[in-house]
Amino acid sequence: MARNILKLGALEAQRTAFLLCDVQETFRPHVKHFAEVVKVANKMLEAAKHFNIPVYVSEQYPKGLGHTTKDIKLDSAKLVYEKTKFSMYTPELQERLKTDVPNLGSVVLFGIEAHVCIEQTVIDLLNDDITVHVLADGVSSRSLMDRGLALQRMQSLGCFIGTSENVLFKLLRNKQHPAFKHISKLFREPTSDRFQHIGCFVGTSENVLFKLLKDKNNPAFKAISKLNLTPTPDQFGHNDQGYLDKL
């Protein structure tokens, strides 16, 4: 019996959804390589039009953290919705996916932060037996250590870690695809080497504590957030200004 090709990492446009997670302007000064994440998000939104793939965009607590950066063109997004859960896979999104993509098999996920909202979304999707592709060039965190370890953990869970180019050419499959020229133009420059992909689950204190919280409305949220005003250091002695005091 043939194996389910989606479980091997193949993608079929009619069974795929794109999820863009929490790329809000407030995070720009704090998240490493924010501009690269924005660039990839715009590529994916443009590509989605040619494949007729719906894009769903979440915003984490916009009342306190503002909306998706205006540098991302959301005109074609199927849904922009707010959440307090860290996972994007909210009841609202689940209902929309059932309606819009009734034969959903795969999700392509990108945005921030890799070790919190992205990872918790991955866990929920995999738990529903949905194949997940995370874009290594389209996710980041305040700390590169958190980002790198999150990619390791998500791969250990059974997630496909790829790049925007890898995923979009999987969707094309053939040079004769009507969208080939449009997609090829998006990749005149290769994937940035700034994003380098580095079992057991290796995490950080922030990653573990936010997994336990799950939702901004958890009674312990403010107390735990105060413990993480400074991101996990990429090197000993590294410091950065936090944004959690805005929550």
Side-chain angles (χ1 to χ4, degrees), residues 192-212:
S192 173
D193 288 328
R194 292 181 184 178
F195 285 103
Q196 295 189 10
H197 180 96
I198 45 173
C200 66
F201 296 109
V202 182
T204 61
S205 55
E206 181 172 338
N207 162 256
V208 169
L209 292 174
F210 274 78
K211 276 185 179 177
L212 288 167

Side-chain angles (χ1 to χ4, degrees), residues 184-196:
S184 297
K185 287 178 182 177
L186 298 176
F187 296 101
R188 287 175 176 166
E189 295 180 6
T191 304
S192 173
D193 288 328
R194 292 181 184 178
F195 285 103
Q196 295 189 10

